[in-house]
Amino acid sequence: MEFGSLGEWAGVIVALPALVVSFYSIRQSKETSEDVEKQKAVIEEQLNTFKAWRESFDSEKAAQIAAWWAVRGDNEWGVAIRNERALVRDLVIEQHGSYAGDLTANELPPGLFFAPSKGDTWKISSVKEEDISPVSKSRKHSIQRVSYTDVLGKKCTYLMREK
């Protein structure tokens, strides 16, 4: 029975640690791969949660600003504006029924506002709900489009009615 030459034994002794290191590397690689897969799953779940939140946020934006024709007091016609959530910028309300043109505001905080339709300008002021009455049956007065920039800097536009 031969046990091999000294050179063969030296080769085995040198190869044995390399074999151990290889097995260790394979094991580490597998654990790292499993960790990466777990991280991918967590990131994907967070991304899906964010997408769902963003979609719900987008669908609720149209409800953030509402505008309609109203009468304050006995006969003061104008546009009522309700901002339900946060400050908006660059508000434009395209309307039909006033010579003043589009109603615009650089900024509009949350609240209920009234802009009388007098002359060729709009003056927006806060108002109590009980002080105004909606105009629901006028063929001469309508809101066509509302657009604004939300707190995230996204431009939002929605069509109320065709001209």
mmCIF file of all heavy atoms in Angstrom, residues 74-90:
data_model
loop_
_atom_site.group_PDB
_atom_site.id
_atom_site.type_symbol
_atom_site.label_atom_id
_atom_site.label_comp_id
_atom_site.label_asym_id
_atom_site.label_seq_id
_atom_site.Cartn_x
_atom_site.Cartn_y
_atom_site.Cartn_z
ATOM 1 N N ASP A 74 -77.925 89.213 0.190
ATOM 2 C CA ASP A 74 -79.117 89.250 -0.655
ATOM 3 C C ASP A 74 -78.820 89.001 -2.128
ATOM 4 O O ASP A 74 -79.544 88.279 -2.798
ATOM 5 C CB ASP A 74 -79.834 90.605 -0.512
ATOM 6 C CG ASP A 74 -80.454 90.760 0.868
ATOM 7 O OD1 ASP A 74 -80.773 89.726 1.483
ATOM 8 O OD2 ASP A 74 -80.597 91.909 1.325
ATOM 9 N N ASN A 75 -77.755 89.636 -2.645
ATOM 10 C CA ASN A 75 -77.554 89.522 -4.079
ATOM 11 C C ASN A 75 -76.111 89.750 -4.504
ATOM 12 O O ASN A 75 -75.866 90.264 -5.582
ATOM 13 C CB ASN A 75 -78.486 90.498 -4.807
ATOM 14 C CG ASN A 75 -78.685 90.099 -6.253
ATOM 15 O OD1 ASN A 75 -78.525 88.952 -6.624
ATOM 16 N ND2 ASN A 75 -79.031 91.078 -7.079
ATOM 17 N N GLU A 76 -75.152 89.379 -3.686
ATOM 18 C CA GLU A 76 -73.745 89.553 -4.058
ATOM 19 C C GLU A 76 -73.226 88.231 -4.631
ATOM 20 O O GLU A 76 -72.915 87.298 -3.908
ATOM 21 C CB GLU A 76 -72.898 89.973 -2.841
ATOM 22 C CG GLU A 76 -71.471 90.289 -3.211
ATOM 23 C CD GLU A 76 -70.660 90.750 -2.017
ATOM 24 O OE1 GLU A 76 -70.971 90.339 -0.874
ATOM 25 O OE2 GLU A 76 -69.712 91.505 -2.225
ATOM 26 N N TRP A 77 -73.156 88.175 -5.958
ATOM 27 C CA TRP A 77 -72.701 86.975 -6.643
ATOM 28 C C TRP A 77 -71.183 86.894 -6.600
ATOM 29 O O TRP A 77 -70.485 87.903 -6.613
ATOM 30 C CB TRP A 77 -73.167 86.991 -8.095
ATOM 31 C CG TRP A 77 -74.621 86.667 -8.253
ATOM 32 C CD1 TRP A 77 -75.677 87.399 -7.803
ATOM 33 C CD2 TRP A 77 -75.155 85.526 -8.889
ATOM 34 N NE1 TRP A 77 -76.850 86.792 -8.117
ATOM 35 C CE2 TRP A 77 -76.563 85.629 -8.810
ATOM 36 C CE3 TRP A 77 -74.616 84.434 -9.531
ATOM 37 C CZ2 TRP A 77 -77.419 84.677 -9.344
ATOM 38 C CZ3 TRP A 77 -75.463 83.489 -10.074
ATOM 39 C CH2 TRP A 77 -76.850 83.610 -9.971
ATOM 40 N N GLY A 78 -70.692 85.641 -6.593
ATOM 41 C CA GLY A 78 -69.251 85.446 -6.627
ATOM 42 C C GLY A 78 -68.906 83.967 -6.638
ATOM 43 O O GLY A 78 -69.779 83.106 -6.736
ATOM 44 N N VAL A 79 -67.627 83.689 -6.503
ATOM 45 C CA VAL A 79 -67.142 82.306 -6.499
ATOM 46 C C VAL A 79 -66.728 81.941 -5.077
ATOM 47 O O VAL A 79 -65.972 82.670 -4.441
ATOM 48 C CB VAL A 79 -65.962 82.131 -7.478
ATOM 49 C CG1 VAL A 79 -65.371 80.724 -7.380
ATOM 50 C CG2 VAL A 79 -66.404 82.422 -8.914
ATOM 51 N N ALA A 80 -67.257 80.832 -4.599
ATOM 52 C CA ALA A 80 -66.847 80.283 -3.302
ATOM 53 C C ALA A 80 -65.744 79.264 -3.564
ATOM 54 O O ALA A 80 -65.795 78.513 -4.538
ATOM 55 C CB ALA A 80 -68.024 79.625 -2.602
ATOM 56 N N ILE A 81 -64.727 79.248 -2.697
ATOM 57 C CA ILE A 81 -63.595 78.333 -2.845
ATOM 58 C C ILE A 81 -63.343 77.678 -1.495
ATOM 59 O O ILE A 81 -63.221 78.370 -0.483
ATOM 60 C CB ILE A 81 -62.308 79.080 -3.261
ATOM 61 C CG1 ILE A 81 -62.570 79.998 -4.448
ATOM 62 C CG2 ILE A 81 -61.183 78.098 -3.554
ATOM 63 C CD1 ILE A 81 -61.558 81.106 -4.572
ATOM 64 N N ARG A 82 -63.255 76.362 -1.508
ATOM 65 C CA ARG A 82 -62.919 75.641 -0.280
ATOM 66 C C ARG A 82 -61.605 74.891 -0.511
ATOM 67 O O ARG A 82 -61.496 74.108 -1.439
ATOM 68 C CB ARG A 82 -63.999 74.659 0.119
ATOM 69 C CG ARG A 82 -63.645 73.922 1.428
ATOM 70 C CD ARG A 82 -64.663 72.864 1.814
ATOM 71 N NE ARG A 82 -66.016 73.348 1.868
ATOM 72 C CZ ARG A 82 -66.573 73.954 2.939
ATOM 73 N NH1 ARG A 82 -65.867 74.132 4.029
ATOM 74 N NH2 ARG A 82 -67.825 74.343 2.905
ATOM 75 N N ASN A 83 -60.652 75.152 0.378
ATOM 76 C CA ASN A 83 -59.386 74.416 0.375
ATOM 77 C C ASN A 83 -59.409 73.509 1.600
ATOM 78 O O ASN A 83 -59.378 73.987 2.729
ATOM 79 C CB ASN A 83 -58.197 75.374 0.423
ATOM 80 C CG ASN A 83 -56.873 74.646 0.428
ATOM 81 O OD1 ASN A 83 -56.808 73.431 0.468
ATOM 82 N ND2 ASN A 83 -55.800 75.410 0.405
ATOM 83 N N GLU A 84 -59.466 72.205 1.382
ATOM 84 C CA GLU A 84 -59.645 71.242 2.466
ATOM 85 C C GLU A 84 -58.367 70.861 3.194
ATOM 86 O O GLU A 84 -58.432 70.387 4.314
ATOM 87 C CB GLU A 84 -60.280 69.953 1.928
ATOM 88 C CG GLU A 84 -61.714 70.107 1.516
ATOM 89 C CD GLU A 84 -62.664 70.280 2.684
ATOM 90 O OE1 GLU A 84 -62.314 69.909 3.820
ATOM 91 O OE2 GLU A 84 -63.759 70.797 2.460
ATOM 92 N N ARG A 85 -57.201 70.999 2.581
ATOM 93 C CA ARG A 85 -56.021 70.389 3.189
ATOM 94 C C ARG A 85 -54.903 71.365 3.520
ATOM 95 O O ARG A 85 -54.773 71.796 4.640
ATOM 96 C CB ARG A 85 -55.513 69.275 2.298
ATOM 97 C CG ARG A 85 -56.479 68.115 2.309
ATOM 98 C CD ARG A 85 -55.902 66.905 1.619
ATOM 99 N NE ARG A 85 -56.826 65.806 1.681
ATOM 100 C CZ ARG A 85 -57.855 65.655 0.876
ATOM 101 N NH1 ARG A 85 -58.112 66.542 -0.038
ATOM 102 N NH2 ARG A 85 -58.653 64.620 0.991
ATOM 103 N N ALA A 86 -54.078 71.652 2.557
ATOM 104 C CA ALA A 86 -52.867 72.425 2.816
ATOM 105 C C ALA A 86 -52.780 73.604 1.860
ATOM 106 O O ALA A 86 -53.532 73.707 0.895
ATOM 107 C CB ALA A 86 -51.638 71.519 2.646
ATOM 108 N N LEU A 87 -51.851 74.474 2.145
ATOM 109 C CA LEU A 87 -51.612 75.633 1.294
ATOM 110 C C LEU A 87 -51.398 75.189 -0.148
ATOM 111 O O LEU A 87 -50.697 74.211 -0.404
ATOM 112 C CB LEU A 87 -50.347 76.367 1.787
ATOM 113 C CG LEU A 87 -49.923 77.576 0.970
ATOM 114 C CD1 LEU A 87 -50.825 78.758 1.274
ATOM 115 C CD2 LEU A 87 -48.478 77.922 1.272
ATOM 116 N N VAL A 88 -52.043 75.889 -1.070
ATOM 117 C CA VAL A 88 -51.800 75.651 -2.496
ATOM 118 C C VAL A 88 -51.245 76.932 -3.096
ATOM 119 O O VAL A 88 -51.455 78.031 -2.576
ATOM 120 C CB VAL A 88 -53.080 75.205 -3.253
ATOM 121 C CG1 VAL A 88 -53.591 73.888 -2.718
ATOM 122 C CG2 VAL A 88 -54.157 76.264 -3.223
ATOM 123 N N ARG A 89 -50.529 76.765 -4.181
ATOM 124 C CA ARG A 89 -49.929 77.904 -4.877
ATOM 125 C C ARG A 89 -50.447 77.938 -6.320
ATOM 126 O O ARG A 89 -50.894 76.938 -6.855
ATOM 127 C CB ARG A 89 -48.411 77.783 -4.883
ATOM 128 C CG ARG A 89 -47.810 77.764 -3.500
ATOM 129 C CD ARG A 89 -46.281 77.782 -3.563
ATOM 130 N NE ARG A 89 -45.651 77.502 -2.302
ATOM 131 C CZ ARG A 89 -45.661 78.269 -1.226
ATOM 132 N NH1 ARG A 89 -46.305 79.399 -1.249
ATOM 133 N NH2 ARG A 89 -45.037 77.929 -0.126
ATOM 134 N N ASP A 90 -50.351 79.105 -6.911
ATOM 135 C CA ASP A 90 -50.678 79.296 -8.332
ATOM 136 C C ASP A 90 -52.081 78.787 -8.672
ATOM 137 O O ASP A 90 -52.286 78.090 -9.656
ATOM 138 C CB ASP A 90 -49.642 78.597 -9.227
ATOM 139 C CG ASP A 90 -48.223 79.016 -8.883
ATOM 140 O OD1 ASP A 90 -48.020 80.202 -8.582
ATOM 141 O OD2 ASP A 90 -47.319 78.152 -8.906
#
